[in-house]
Amino acid sequence: MVSLPEPDRTVLERRPEILRALRSITPPGSLIEDELQLAAYETDALTAYRQKPLAVALPQTSDQVSNLLRLAHREGLSIVARGAGTSLSGGAIPAADAIVIGLGKLNRILAIDYDDRCVVAQSGVPNLAITHAVADRGFYYAPDPSSQIACTIGGNVAENSGGVHCLKYGLTTNNVLGAELVLPDGEIVRLGGKHLDAGHYDLLGLITGSEGLLGIVTEVTVRILRRPPSARALLIGFPTTEGAGACVAAVIAAGIVPAGMEMMDRPAIHAAEAFVHAGYPLEAEALLIVELDGPAAEVDFLLARVSELARAHGASSCKASESEAERLAFWAGRKAAFPAVGRLSPDYYCMDGTIPRRELPRVLRAIYQMSERYGLRVANVFHAGDGNLHPLILYDANLPGELERAEAFGAEILKLCVDVGGVLTGEHGVGLEKRDLMTYQFTAADLEIQHRVKRAFDPEARFNPGKVFPSLHRCAEEGRMHVHSGTGRPAGAAGRSEDAAGRREGGAGRFADLPRF
């Protein structure tokens, strides 16, 4: 079982005093302190763990976020930022002595710039809302997590979220141009902007995927793209998962980069089809959804080429979408796969690891063998094109020992991902779920470097405590952090200007002591 951080009893005893201070700086209706209402914030989509926070603040502006962080800095309080709570790694689960800062009220799109092809949005804006805002002009925002109707752009930045079209168009980090960040002491800085690159340290790249450990993103500038003139999808059934995995490698080896290439195994196919009725081949053991986009002539040529490769690898069926509605239906089943699998079992544990594409057949075989050994069913849904796996381990938390077996099963899958040359996470983050596996991928020296980076932003380690890093202790005389018992395993512009509002352009000054790589 994953352990939650022990609360500071002194902070808990000071709760009435802290609540009075919070009330003095939050607008009416923007502070949640009632025990029943706090229950809505005690977990995220990784529902195996729950912990009520000290309080929840719901700011509406960056300045309000700054005021909250100044108070927390002065009082020595821990902070957990929260978007829509769709995290699948426990990243938004609070500590008992922490203030949760919910960003759902920062929900305005501030600017749409078609000339520079970007949108400026507050961090609580849902991912899909950005596409809706620019769709009438033929534009869209490319990263599309399955939870895009709910997940926020700020949460996407925190987790470096992907989606079914990340193979061709990249993850969040490839589509973010700038961000406004509130640092742990309340200082507001701007990183990047509408321009394509910055002339100093890539702090924007550092923040993207930092899981709320370094600060709170309150505003994001994202790249928008023109919709391609044509897009069609292939629905390809295979009699074996090995054949489907080999086909994935063959398509990429042929120099074809689909807009998306997703894979589902038989349990996931049946669950999604019963849920959405997308027309999936129920006789198939594995299903590939391959989307090609671009000029119509190019799309038609690539559809034919991928179909040839699929047949050469034993495909039992191959159907191309003939309309936009049919293409969207193909994807609807895939995007609904997680909730669809929820109909098969009272609970499921959604994993997230990434492997080299060539290892897909081997890893899938091993997962099915583990399934038999642990006595737990598994459904596989994943971004096949970039090797990002999402095995869904089915269990019943009401049966003694099943949660523990599911966690052990998941840990073995993630270790296998590392063993074959992959990594512990592709897009869900480390959070609580993978925290205690970090020493399997990283050495103590690796984790030391990561801690030095965190300390440059958050020297008191108050932001999102208990997440990402395994148990550490501080070497007082040197001010350094070290992993407990831990060798792990071997793993393969100066200055800033300040504007009238007190916001600063991110430069080298504050972070000059970061380690050089």
Side-chain angles (χ1 to χ4, degrees):
M1 296 287 287
V2 173
S3 60
L4 295 168
E6 285 293 323
D8 184 331
R9 297 295 171 186
T10 304
V11 171
L12 297 182
E13 291 168 1
R14 293 173 52 221
R15 186 172 188 262
E17 168 196 340
I18 292 166
L19 289 176
R20 284 194 297 272
L22 287 169
R23 289 187 206 110
S24 71
I25 64 170
T26 53
S30 296
L31 182 66
I32 298 174
E33 52 187 283
D34 176 74
E35 287 293 313
L36 185 60
Q37 293 178 338
L38 288 175
Y41 295 86
E42 68 184 5
T43 191
D44 58 10
L46 184 73
T47 54
Y49 305 100
R50 299 178 183 276
Q51 175 66 70
K52 289 180 184 176
L54 196 71
V56 176
L58 303 172
Q60 300 176 43
T61 67
S62 298
D63 286 335
Q64 289 176 14
V65 174
S66 175
N67 291 337
L68 287 164
L69 295 193
R70 290 183 193 279
L71 171 65
H73 181 68
R74 185 170 67 247
E75 300 293 333
L77 303 175
S78 295
I79 293 292
V80 176
R82 182 184 177 97
T86 58
S87 165
L88 287 163
S89 63
I93 295 176
D97 57 355
I99 306 299
V100 166
I101 295 186
L103 300 165
K105 290 187 176 182
L106 277 77
N107 57 8
R108 293 184 300 125
I109 291 179
L110 302 175
I112 299 175
D113 186 338
Y114 291 108
D115 291 333
D116 286 324
R117 297 193 175 187
C118 64
V119 168
V120 181
Q122 290 183 306
S123 59
V125 171
N127 173 292
L128 191 56
I130 296 174
T131 290
H132 286 165
V134 298
D136 64 332
R137 292 283 295 269
F139 286 85
Y140 75 111
Y141 177 60
D144 55 346
S146 295
S147 59
Q148 69 179 143
I149 193 172
C151 66
T152 62
I153 191 63
N156 290 175
V157 171
E159 301 293 343
N160 191 21
S161 303
V164 299
H165 289 93
C166 65
L167 175 61
K168 184 173 184 178
Y169 294 105
L171 301 165
T172 298
T173 190
N174 306 112
N175 291 275
V176 170
L177 298 171
E180 181 180 77
L181 178 73
V182 188
L183 296 171
D185 62 0
E187 181 183 2
I188 300 174
V189 298
R190 288 189 179 276
L191 308 175
K194 292 183 180 181
H195 46 284
L196 293 180
D197 202 2
H200 43 67
Y201 292 143
D202 183 17
L203 298 179
L204 183 61
L206 191 64
I207 291 298
T208 305
S210 61
E211 302 193 38
L213 295 175
L214 308 181
I216 295 181
V217 172
T218 52
E219 182 184 301
V220 185
T221 302
V222 300
R223 185 195 319 272
I224 54 174
L225 302 175
R226 277 271 185 201
R227 284 211 173 273
S230 177
R232 294 177 68 191
L234 282 168
L235 209 58
I236 311 171
F238 288 85
T240 66
T241 54
E242 289 83 0
C247 182
V248 169
V251 169
I252 300 298
I256 301 169
V257 182
M261 184 153 53
E262 300 288 300
M263 185 170 164
M264 303 164 67
D265 67 3
R266 186 181 184 88
I269 294 167
H270 281 248
E273 180 61 19
F275 194 56
V276 175
H277 308 293
Y280 289 173
L282 296 179
E283 75 284 356
E285 289 295 327
L287 174 68
L288 280 185
I289 306 174
V290 184
E291 181 171 299
L292 291 312
D293 65 5
E298 178 185 354
V299 169
D300 291 342
F301 171 79
L302 292 176
L303 280 175
R305 184 75 184 100
V306 172
S307 298
E308 290 173 7
L309 291 169
R311 286 192 292 271
H313 287 83
S316 53
S317 64
C318 188
K319 179 182 180 182
S321 62
E322 298 298 338
S323 67
E324 179 65 2
E326 189 171 33
R327 182 186 73 85
L328 293 176
F330 288 177
W331 284 118
R334 165 59 185 90
K335 293 206 168 195
F338 289 5
V341 168
R343 303 169 78 187
L344 303 181
S345 176
D347 302 284
Y348 69 80
Y349 190 21
C350 179
M351 305 306 301
D352 165 53
T354 300
I355 62 172
R357 283 183 294 264
R358 66 179 182 276
E359 298 290 352
L360 278 172
R362 170 186 170 186
V363 170
L364 288 173
R365 282 195 303 272
I367 289 174
Y368 294 133
Q369 290 166 1
M370 293 178 204
S371 174
E372 293 183 5
R373 179 154 39 87
Y374 283 99
L376 296 172
R377 293 176 295 162
V378 63
N380 283 289
V381 181
F382 52 91
H383 308 309
D386 58 3
N388 186 195
L389 309 180
H390 295 313
L392 306 173
I393 300 170
L394 311 185
Y395 72 99
D396 185 347
N398 293 314
L399 297 179
E402 284 220 350
L403 172 58
E404 290 77 10
R405 291 213 313 279
E407 288 182 321
F409 186 175
E412 190 170 341
I413 291 173
L414 294 175
K415 289 179 179 179
L416 176 61
C417 289
V418 175
D419 289 341
V420 300
V423 294
L424 291 172
T425 180
E427 57 177 339
H428 293 176
V430 175
L432 280 174
E433 177 200 36
K434 307 179 186 77
R435 178 194 65 193
D436 297 333
L437 291 173
M438 286 286 277
T439 54
Y440 197 80
Q441 180 177 337
F442 297 104
T443 65
D446 294 330
L447 291 171
E448 166 84 10
I449 292 291
Q450 293 179 45
H451 254 277
R452 289 179 62 194
V453 173
K454 176 170 172 59
R455 267 201 329 281
F457 288 80
D458 181 21
E460 297 173 356
R462 294 185 296 105
F463 268 54
N464 218 3
K467 312 294 174 55
V468 178
F469 296 111
S471 233
L472 299 160
H473 71 275
R474 182 177 294 278
C475 180
E477 66 273 15
E478 297 182 30
R480 292 186 296 169
M481 305 292 280
H482 299 275
V483 181
H484 266 317
S485 350
T487 57
R489 68 189 291 280
R496 295 174 297 182
S497 60
E498 187 168 339
D499 65 21
R503 291 164 173 77
R504 295 180 177 179
E505 298 296 329
R510 179 184 181 99
F511 308 103
D513 62 342
L514 285 177
R516 272 46 169 187
F517 297 94

